[in-house]
Every structure is written in C-alpha cells, then in structure tokens.
Amino acid sequence: MPSIYTVIAADPTTLVSGSIQRTDEDGKVWSIPIDPANSDYQAYLATLAANSAPTA
Amino acid sequence: MSRAQLTSTVEQNSAGAAAPVVAGKNYIANSGFDIWQRGTSFTFSSTVAASTSTYTADRWAFGGTGAFTVTQQTPSNTASPYALRLQRTSGNSTSGDSFITYTMETNTAKLLAGQTVTLSFYMKAGSGFTGTTTYIISRFGTGTDEGSNAGYSGLFTGSNQIIKTQTPTTTSTKYSYTFVVPSSTKEMIFLIGYSGASGTAGSNDYLEYEQMQLELGSVATPWSRAAGTLQGELALAMRYYYRATSVGSSSNYQHFGMGQAYSSSAAKVPIPLPVAMRTAPSISSTGSLGLLNAANSAIGNASVGADGVSTTVAGTYWTGSSGLVAGNATTLIANGNSSCYIEFSSEL
C-alpha cells in the first residue's frame, strides 16, 4: 500500500505553517516541510504529478 | 606492506604529507558503520526500493527483493569499527538483486566529476550465500540531489552507470575498483550486494561489509574515516538524520524541549538541531510523548507537526489531549516511558 499524503494548510490564527503529512504503510507519520530540497517533499511532488497525469 | 602504506611511512618519517592516512580522503560518510542512530537491526519483509524510509546504518539504505535483514556485526578485521551484514532472510525464495546503497549529495559528488577514483571495501559471504555473484554498481546523474529512490530506480537525470561483479568468499577480503567518474556528474549512488539471488535462503545467506572507502586516485590506500574521528563521523551523519531519544535515559519523563501552549491541547516547541542539516528536515515522533501543564501533569497523546523548519532549528507544534492553558510555558517530555524518540530526516 502506498503512503498517504495529507496537506496541512497554514493557519493564520495559530501562525502554524503549512506542511505535508505522510502516513506510511507501517503507520508511521512524517511531517514534511515545504522545502524543494527535501527529498520527502520531492517524492510528494512526484506522486502528485504521477497521479495528475492523464491516462490513455 | 603496500606501496601506499610505504609511501605513508616514508612521508611521515620525513615530516611530509601523509596522504594515505589523512582525514578527508574518504568521500563516504559512516564508512566504518560507526553510527547507527536508527537501531542496529532492520527487517524488510518484502521487496522494497531504496528510499528515505529504508535507511539502516546512518547513510546506508536498503533496497532489494523479498525478505532481508540488515544488522550490525562484530567485524572480521580488528581495524574495523563494525561490519554491516546484508542477509537474505531464511525462507526467502524471491529471486533477484538486493543491495545496500549509499547516495552522495551533489555538493560532494560534483567534486569527483571527471576524476579517477578508487572504491574499496572488505567483503565476505556466509556459507549459505545464494547470490550468483555480487554487484558493485556505481550510478551517476546530472541532476541535483534527486535522492536515493531515483538513483536506485535508475531515474537520475542523465543516468549512467558502471557495473563491476565480484565472486565473494567466506573469508573477509579487501576488494578495490578504479574507474573514472563521468565528467558531467552531479550526483552518485552506489548499489552493493546480491546479484541474482535464487532458490530458498537458509540460515547463513549473507554478505558482510567493512571499511568502505572512495578516494581520488587509482590506489586503494588504508581505510580511514571521512571525518577522521568518531565525533566527526557523528556530525557528518547528523547532517542527514538526527534522532532525539529517551532510550538510555534514567528517567521515563525525559525532557526534549520547552515551548508555549497556544490552546488547551496544542503547543509550539522549537528544537535546535545539533548540526546544520542538509535541508529542512522531515519530522516524526514514535512512542508516547506529552506536554507538561502548570500542575506538572503530563498531557499525553502528543503528535508532532512541522512548523517553520530550517536546517538549524526545527519549529514544531504538538497536539494532544486537553489540559494546557494557552500562553503558558510547557515542556515536551516522554510520557512515562524510555522508548520514545523524535526523528529529523533530510536524507536523500
């Protein structure tokens, strides 16, 4: 089963910044900063792009 | 005595440079498997590609077919800190290749572009080794830090590779391979391990590695740590991964940091990182953590989120059960156990 991503929006009330939450197959949860150099964020973008690609 | 060792001795005796034994010649961090922040035994139950989720010893990720374990072992050579064992789990009947991988970041790999380099290490096989032989794959790319998963999967931009094979024996033996790194290289991954394992694994189906070294030139000189010292190796490893842990603490309420509640069930806790990391790290927590309230009671079920993360400070927010007072100070603690930890990963 692939990892599940959840977008955590920035909250102007609490001043909590936006991030990406990834839940792995083993249940482990990673909070991923929005940083183009971060490999986990790159993987999220790649997954997003793959899932957005039109199918034949 | 090898030519390199002889040169070293002569140069040392004449107070000259001693290139074969200086720190910094080895381009591989944690090359002696000194550092195992994530643990010393890892089980992979099915086929998996190398990624940020499959790291074992610091800087070394697994990728392979069928069930495998990666473990720390007592080395065969007295000059080695530890050995890393890559073992096909008994009963595994999935055929294919399996590796321990090392991904080099761009700001190091680009220094080797166009250079003649030598990769060396000790290797031995278990008596039940089922690989056809072993692979030593050096794979190169022209992109920037595309990561272990892309490298493992052959998806580096401009992917190019050099493949060597070696038939191992049950005696720990030093092997070396000299090659020229392609001139356009900006990223590099090594895949080292089983080629064509087949049949059903028994109890001694493994490969063990020690003293990994990648250096400039065509001679495999005696191994040394990239950073020269154990503490230096730890700092190198922490550039990519850091674990703050309660394991080994004398308290079941280990403190991790101080912050401020911003609601009855949430608080922000900045955690300074011990060394500047490669990128802003991903963050995860394992085990029961809590937040102390003004009555010195632990508010449990705290889970972490990234909130303003840089390479030097991890801003975090924690949400859990109710019982905090907005505006009050709070301390992030282990909630009655000595097995919880917080991970910070900027691995490739």
Side-chain angles (χ1 to χ4, degrees):
Chain A
M1 188 176 70
S3 297
I4 297 170
Y5 290 99
T6 306
V7 177
I8 308 296
D11 185 340
T13 305
T14 60
L15 302 181
V16 169
S17 61
S19 61
I20 306 297
Q21 190 180 78
R22 188 189 76 208
T23 304
D24 292 339
E25 189 176 0
D26 61 3
K28 183 171 238 180
V29 178
W30 284 92
S31 185
I32 302 167
I34 298 174
D35 176 355
N38 181 294
S39 295
D40 294 322
Y41 185 65
Q42 291 171 353
Y44 162 71
L45 293 179
T47 301
L48 201 63
N51 291 337
S52 299
T55 53
Chain B
M1 179 177 286
S2 71
R3 184 187 69 79
Q5 287 173 304
L6 184 62
T7 302
S8 171
T9 302
V10 169
E11 289 178 335
Q12 285 175 327
N13 289 343
S14 61
V21 293
V22 296
K25 69 168 181 177
N26 189 346
Y27 283 76
I28 295 176
N30 201 25
S31 58
F33 307 115
D34 287 291
I35 314 297
W36 299 70
Q37 290 188 83
R38 296 170 180 82
T40 55
S41 178
F42 302 84
T43 300
F44 298 94
S45 56
S46 57
T47 299
V48 64
S51 74
T52 57
S53 299
T54 65
Y55 273 81
T56 59
D58 281 57
R59 302 271 42 248
W60 295 92
F62 170 76
T65 52
F68 265 80
T69 59
V70 176
T71 54
Q72 181 192 79
Q73 298 290 326
T74 300
S76 299
N77 300 281
T78 55
S80 303
Y82 292 103
L84 180 147
R85 178 181 292 182
L86 173 64
Q87 181 160 9
R88 203 165 172 238
T89 303
S90 181
N92 178 359
S93 57
T94 306
S95 300
D97 306 330
S98 294
F99 306 100
I100 194 74
T101 71
Y102 183 91
T103 306
M104 187 177 289
E105 71 173 286
T106 290
N107 71 9
T108 302
K110 68 182 183 183
L111 304 180
L112 301 174
Q115 303 279 341
T116 297
V117 299
T118 297
L119 175 69
S120 61
F121 53 80
Y122 279 89
M123 175 172 63
K124 77 172 182 181
S127 58
F129 177 67
T130 54
T132 305
T133 181
T134 66
Y135 269 146
I136 304 96
I137 301 175
S138 308
R139 192 170 283 170
F140 316 96
T142 58
T144 299
D145 288 335
E146 295 177 294
S148 54
N149 189 255
Y152 182 85
S153 306
L155 296 175
F156 274 164
T157 299
S159 187
N160 189 6
Q161 63 185 9
I162 297 171
I163 299 178
K164 308 279 188 181
T165 59
Q166 185 69 57
T167 301
T169 71
T170 54
T171 301
S172 185
T173 304
K174 186 170 184 174
Y175 301 99
S176 66
Y177 310 91
T178 297
F179 54 92
V180 177
V181 177
S183 59
S184 57
T185 294
K186 291 176 68 181
E187 53 192 345
M188 196 183 310
I189 183 172
F190 294 109
L191 291 76
I192 300 169
Y194 283 68
S195 165
S198 61
T200 300
S203 57
N204 290 305
D205 190 353
Y206 65 81
L207 294 167
E208 272 187 24
Y209 296 96
E210 302 172 32
Q211 298 187 21
M212 317 299 284
Q213 184 159 270
L214 180 72
E215 60 193 307
L216 292 169
S218 57
V219 176
T221 65
W223 173 79
S224 66
R225 293 178 171 116
T229 64
L230 183 55
Q231 185 58 34
E233 288 294 300
L234 180 59
L236 272 178
M238 286 180 168
R239 172 172 171 77
Y240 304 89
Y241 178 90
Y242 166 56
R243 177 177 290 197
T245 180
S246 66
V247 174
S249 173
S250 58
S251 169
N252 285 337
Y253 298 92
Q254 173 71 38
H255 295 199
F256 288 94
M258 279 199 70
Q260 183 182 35
Y262 62 89
S263 77
S264 63
S265 59
K268 296 188 176 192
V269 181
I271 301 176
L273 301 167
V275 303
M277 300 190 74
R278 185 184 69 85
T279 69
S282 304
I283 305 169
S284 182
S285 66
T286 296
S288 180
L289 289 125
L291 296 159
L292 279 181
N293 66 11
N296 202 37
S297 296
I299 308 303
N301 304 315
S303 60
V304 67
D307 178 27
V309 183
S310 76
T311 58
T312 55
V313 180
T316 64
Y317 70 96
W318 297 77
T319 53
S321 302
S322 186
L324 301 173
V325 175
N328 279 4
T330 184
T331 302
L332 176 66
I333 60 168
N335 193 14
N337 69 89
S338 60
S339 60
C340 60
Y341 52 86
I342 309 166
E343 296 170 273
F344 305 87
S345 174
S346 59
E347 269 296 358
L348 287 153

